[in-house]
Amino acid sequence: MPQGYVLGVGKTRFGPTSKSLPALAQEAIIAALGDAGLTVGDIDAFIVANYLGGPNEGRLHLNSVVAGLMPGTHLPGWRVEAACASGGVAVHDALLSLSRYGTVLVVGVERMSGIPGMQLTRNIGMAGDLDLDQGAGLNFPASYALVAQRHMDAFGTTTRDLELVSLKNHDNARLNPLAHFYHKTVTQADIDAGVMVASPLRLFDCCPVSDGAAAVVISGASRGDRSIPILGSGLSTDAISLSQRTVHTSFIAARNAAASAYEQASVSASDVDFVEVHDCFTIAEVVAMEDLGLCSPGEATRLIRDGVTSRDGALPVNASGGLKAGGHAIGATGVGQVYEVVKQLRGEAGDRQLAKARIGLTHNVGGVGGTCAVHVLGSAS
Ligand code: COA
């Protein structure tokens, strides 16, 4: 029994732009409504996913900002914030709200470019604990560097494995016109020249700083063969700081969210044809594959080396380019993952269309595993 149906999807290009936050949101909303063949009058409620509107540009009360894009509607609308998982949590929230509202619009939006680097890193770092992490300078690249070091110690993961993730995702982004690095061919020489950000993570192990928006229209009822069923939706949380955890090679919230989504969808990891995972840093893609049960702990690197996760492999991972090369417009990312999976399941992904796309999965993480939302989507029946 599907939890709901995606009737329409829309997305802006992820990457630096001069467009304002409301303009980005509007572009994605218009695209999603057009894709669904609906108008604003068909929407019963809406949810806005955003993380940095306040600290980056002094823009809060975003449900009212988005209401202004739909004049005269006065719909129930609210904002969801769960750091980089804001979008995935908003999709989960939309499914829950179908018990009251027939058709719900979710829009994820973020503006990040143009903020001085130190300030932006500090703002993003607010998703880490104020007392335990932020004051100690444990920002996001540093936190994921610790995860990478631990994974290397435990399983023999190498920097070469991480480079392969980056090369693959950049290669995929070259086929995605809405990707941050669509325009850029990345070679081994580029990767070798990348500066060290937080050892062992270098420039090409990091997602970029992106602006962008994505929107989806979700309903309790299908509107035909372009409606994509959401079969399962899992959400789990964990303590915010790595120092409050005992396991650092895996995110328990991701494992729980995946188990919950699989159970609801009545599928297992082996039924999944392709995934869009939260590769904010290359090591995060490795950990995601293991947390989702796509392989055993420590086995993801073998699949990556063997090309299994490539576009033409048996289990494509991040055919969109992922966060690494597709871009990470934080509040929009989880919604953008649903956009990509819907496009693949409908056979509308253009040059990056996968050969086998019947069951797809999204994995959206907030902080360093503090929140995780997983969605399993199936083909239209
Ligand atoms: N990967 C590859 N290339 C990148 C890049 C990345 N992550 N970030 C920037 N670049 C490129 C730019 O395109 C630019 O290339 P060009 O000279 O050909 O135009 C060049 O590097 C310089 O860009 P700039 O914006 O000055 O980079 P920077 O040094 O200020 O930022 C990082 C680099 C890694 C610090 C920044 O991308 C970053 O903070 N990423 C992580 C964001 C984050 O933490 N998100 C939340 C994760 S949970």
Side-chain angles (χ1 to χ4, degrees), residues 25 29 46 48 61-71 105 107 109:
I29 291 169
F46 69 91
V48 189
H61 201 182
L62 293 184
N63 57 334
S64 188
V65 170
V66 170
L69 304 173
M70 304 184 283
L105 169 72
V107 58
V109 60

Side-chain angles (χ1 to χ4, degrees), residues 113-303:
S113 69
I115 310 290
M118 286 298 285
Q119 186 188 336
L120 182 64
T121 299
R122 197 196 63 208
N123 291 350
I124 296 173
M126 289 181 190
D129 187 78
L130 178 62
D131 306 312
L132 298 168
D133 301 335
Q134 293 182 39
L138 196 62
N139 56 31
F140 269 92
S143 297
Y144 274 95
L146 291 179
V147 172
Q149 288 175 10
R150 193 69 202 92
H151 206 276
M152 287 172 165
D153 287 346
F155 301 116
T157 302
T158 65
T159 52
R160 178 64 190 152
D161 295 322
L162 303 184
E163 289 172 9
L164 289 174
V165 171
S166 186
L167 284 167
K168 168 182 68 67
N169 291 350
H170 273 286
D171 189 46
N172 290 346
R174 293 286 290 126
L175 298 179
N176 181 359
L178 298 181
H180 186 124
F181 285 118
Y182 173 58
H183 59 284
K184 186 164 178 167
T185 302
V186 170
T187 64
Q188 184 65 44
D190 294 319
I191 289 192
D192 293 343
V195 294
M196 184 61 76
V197 175
S199 179
L201 303 179
R202 302 161 65 111
L203 181 65
F204 280 86
D205 290 303
C206 305
C207 64
V209 168
S210 314
D211 305 321
V216 297
V217 180
I218 294 177
S219 173
S222 168
R223 280 171 54 92
D225 59 9
R226 294 187 76 250
S227 298
I228 294 296
I230 301 182
L231 305 174
S233 176
L235 174 64
S236 180
T237 57
D238 200 350
I240 188 167
S241 173
L242 284 177
S243 63
Q244 295 167 293
R245 319 241 188 98
T246 52
V247 178
H248 299 105
T249 53
S250 167
F251 297 143
I252 292 170
R255 298 211 307 260
N256 288 345
S260 170
Y262 289 143
E263 185 184 5
Q264 209 172 40
S266 298
V267 301
S268 63
S270 60
D271 296 316
V272 174
D273 296 324
F274 67 102
V275 295
E276 287 287 316
V277 304
H278 196 98
D279 59 327
C280 50
F281 298 91
T282 47
I283 185 63
E285 179 164 314
V286 175
V287 170
M289 290 172 58
E290 295 169 0
D291 286 343
L292 292 170
L294 303 173
C295 57
S296 306
E299 284 291 303
T301 50
R302 185 181 55 76
L303 301 187

Side-chain angles (χ1 to χ4, degrees), residues 46-60:
F46 69 91
I47 305 175
V48 189
N50 173 262
Y51 174 44
L52 293 168
N56 270 7
E57 51 181 17
R59 224 189 254 277
L60 287 171

